[in-house]
PDB file of all heavy atoms in Angstrom:
ATOM      1  N   GLU C  10      12.122   5.819  -0.040  1.00  0.00           N
ATOM      2  CA  GLU C  10      13.239   6.231   0.826  1.00  0.00           C
ATOM      3  C   GLU C  10      14.441   5.291   0.606  1.00  0.00           C
ATOM      4  O   GLU C  10      15.584   5.750   0.585  1.00  0.00           O
ATOM      5  CB  GLU C  10      12.800   6.182   2.316  1.00  0.00           C
ATOM      6  CG  GLU C  10      13.908   6.630   3.280  1.00  0.00           C
ATOM      7  CD  GLU C  10      13.477   6.765   4.722  1.00  0.00           C
ATOM      8  OE1 GLU C  10      12.258   6.700   5.001  1.00  0.00           O
ATOM      9  OE2 GLU C  10      14.385   6.933   5.570  1.00  0.00           O
ATOM     10  N   LEU C  11      14.167   4.004   0.407  1.00  0.00           N
ATOM     11  CA  LEU C  11      15.281   3.061   0.097  1.00  0.00           C
ATOM     12  C   LEU C  11      16.025   3.527  -1.138  1.00  0.00           C
ATOM     13  O   LEU C  11      17.254   3.602  -1.142  1.00  0.00           O
ATOM     14  CB  LEU C  11      14.732   1.659  -0.101  1.00  0.00           C
ATOM     15  CG  LEU C  11      15.743   0.623  -0.574  1.00  0.00           C
ATOM     16  CD1 LEU C  11      16.777   0.310   0.495  1.00  0.00           C
ATOM     17  CD2 LEU C  11      15.085  -0.651  -1.060  1.00  0.00           C
ATOM     18  N   ARG C  12      15.282   3.871  -2.201  1.00  0.00           N
ATOM     19  CA  ARG C  12      15.925   4.279  -3.463  1.00  0.00           C
ATOM     20  C   ARG C  12      16.743   5.553  -3.271  1.00  0.00           C
ATOM     21  O   ARG C  12      17.843   5.682  -3.799  1.00  0.00           O
ATOM     22  CB  ARG C  12      14.898   4.457  -4.577  1.00  0.00           C
ATOM     23  CG  ARG C  12      14.262   3.138  -5.010  1.00  0.00           C
ATOM     24  CD  ARG C  12      13.469   3.281  -6.297  1.00  0.00           C
ATOM     25  NE  ARG C  12      12.312   4.157  -6.151  1.00  0.00           N
ATOM     26  CZ  ARG C  12      11.105   3.759  -5.725  1.00  0.00           C
ATOM     27  NH1 ARG C  12      10.897   2.503  -5.365  1.00  0.00           N
ATOM     28  NH2 ARG C  12      10.094   4.625  -5.615  1.00  0.00           N
ATOM     29  N   LEU C  13      16.253   6.490  -2.450  1.00  0.00           N
ATOM     30  CA  LEU C  13      17.017   7.716  -2.191  1.00  0.00           C
ATOM     31  C   LEU C  13      18.318   7.369  -1.501  1.00  0.00           C
ATOM     32  O   LEU C  13      19.397   7.878  -1.860  1.00  0.00           O
ATOM     33  CB  LEU C  13      16.199   8.674  -1.287  1.00  0.00           C
ATOM     34  CG  LEU C  13      15.050   9.435  -1.978  1.00  0.00           C
ATOM     35  CD1 LEU C  13      14.204  10.165  -0.932  1.00  0.00           C
ATOM     36  CD2 LEU C  13      15.589  10.408  -3.023  1.00  0.00           C
ATOM     37  N   PHE C  14      18.274   6.466  -0.514  1.00  0.00           N
ATOM     38  CA  PHE C  14      19.485   6.058   0.214  1.00  0.00           C
ATOM     39  C   PHE C  14      20.460   5.371  -0.741  1.00  0.00           C
ATOM     40  O   PHE C  14      21.653   5.692  -0.778  1.00  0.00           O
ATOM     41  CB  PHE C  14      19.100   5.140   1.377  1.00  0.00           C
ATOM     42  CG  PHE C  14      20.267   4.525   2.085  1.00  0.00           C
ATOM     43  CD1 PHE C  14      21.124   5.282   2.860  1.00  0.00           C
ATOM     44  CD2 PHE C  14      20.544   3.158   1.961  1.00  0.00           C
ATOM     45  CE1 PHE C  14      22.208   4.712   3.520  1.00  0.00           C
ATOM     46  CE2 PHE C  14      21.615   2.576   2.605  1.00  0.00           C
ATOM     47  CZ  PHE C  14      22.465   3.373   3.389  1.00  0.00           C
ATOM     48  N   LEU C  15      19.959   4.431  -1.550  1.00  0.00           N
ATOM     49  CA  LEU C  15      20.850   3.674  -2.443  1.00  0.00           C
ATOM     50  C   LEU C  15      21.452   4.565  -3.521  1.00  0.00           C
ATOM     51  O   LEU C  15      22.641   4.429  -3.857  1.00  0.00           O
ATOM     52  CB  LEU C  15      20.073   2.520  -3.102  1.00  0.00           C
ATOM     53  CG  LEU C  15      19.508   1.454  -2.149  1.00  0.00           C
ATOM     54  CD1 LEU C  15      18.836   0.330  -2.960  1.00  0.00           C
ATOM     55  CD2 LEU C  15      20.596   0.892  -1.237  1.00  0.00           C
ATOM     56  N   ARG C  16      20.671   5.546  -4.017  1.00  0.00           N
ATOM     57  CA  ARG C  16      21.227   6.496  -5.007  1.00  0.00           C
ATOM     58  C   ARG C  16      22.335   7.320  -4.370  1.00  0.00           C
ATOM     59  O   ARG C  16      23.413   7.520  -4.971  1.00  0.00           O
ATOM     60  CB  ARG C  16      20.135   7.460  -5.524  1.00  0.00           C
ATOM     61  CG  ARG C  16      19.415   6.959  -6.737  1.00  0.00           C
ATOM     62  CD  ARG C  16      18.498   8.018  -7.330  1.00  0.00           C
ATOM     63  NE  ARG C  16      17.339   7.337  -7.912  1.00  0.00           N
ATOM     64  CZ  ARG C  16      16.161   7.224  -7.304  1.00  0.00           C
ATOM     65  NH1 ARG C  16      15.988   7.779  -6.112  1.00  0.00           N
ATOM     66  NH2 ARG C  16      15.174   6.549  -7.863  1.00  0.00           N
ATOM     67  N   ASN C  17      22.112   7.781  -3.143  1.00  0.00           N
ATOM     68  CA  ASN C  17      23.110   8.615  -2.453  1.00  0.00           C
ATOM     69  C   ASN C  17      24.403   7.828  -2.253  1.00  0.00           C
ATOM     70  O   ASN C  17      25.494   8.315  -2.565  1.00  0.00           O
ATOM     71  CB  ASN C  17      22.556   9.073  -1.110  1.00  0.00           C
ATOM     72  CG  ASN C  17      23.588   9.804  -0.284  1.00  0.00           C
ATOM     73  OD1 ASN C  17      24.263   9.181   0.564  1.00  0.00           O
ATOM     74  ND2 ASN C  17      23.761  11.079  -0.555  1.00  0.00           N
ATOM     75  N   VAL C  18      24.297   6.572  -1.808  1.00  0.00           N
ATOM     76  CA  VAL C  18      25.484   5.746  -1.598  1.00  0.00           C
ATOM     77  C   VAL C  18      26.204   5.545  -2.926  1.00  0.00           C
ATOM     78  O   VAL C  18      27.435   5.741  -3.029  1.00  0.00           O
ATOM     79  CB  VAL C  18      25.093   4.381  -0.978  1.00  0.00           C
ATOM     80  CG1 VAL C  18      26.268   3.422  -0.963  1.00  0.00           C
ATOM     81  CG2 VAL C  18      24.512   4.555   0.426  1.00  0.00           C
TER      82      VAL C  18
END
Side-chain angles (χ1 to χ4, degrees):
E10 182 173 350
L11 173 69
R12 291 192 296 273
L13 285 171
F14 173 69
L15 298 183
R16 270 188 213 99
N17 173 266
V18 171

